[in-house]
Amino acid sequence: MDEIRRLERTTEQMIDLLTKIKAENHALKNKLEELTNEKSLLMQKNDQAKTRLESMISRLKTLEQTA
């Protein structure tokens, strides 16, 4: 009988651990999605800044040539 109780406790502990792991996995997946979206936004902003900078350099070169 003691062995059955011990097995029941072990099973309950494993179920609790599995529940915690599932919750952690879910939280990590959400964080990964959030970070992926943030990375995409930052890459877009970086590309926009690069385009603006290239445009300014081009205009400066044109001004320099006409001066």
Side-chain angles (χ1 to χ4, degrees), residues 28-41:
L28 288 171
K29 284 181 179 181
N30 286 342
K31 187 66 176 177
L32 177 61
E33 184 177 351
E34 177 186 322
L35 291 172
T36 301
N37 291 337
E38 184 179 341
K39 177 185 175 187
S40 177
L41 180 62

Side-chain angles (χ1 to χ4, degrees), residues 15-29:
I15 290 170
D16 289 343
L17 182 59
L18 179 61
T19 302
K20 289 177 185 176
I21 290 172
K22 282 184 176 182
E24 183 180 354
N25 189 37
H26 182 71
L28 288 171
K29 284 181 179 181

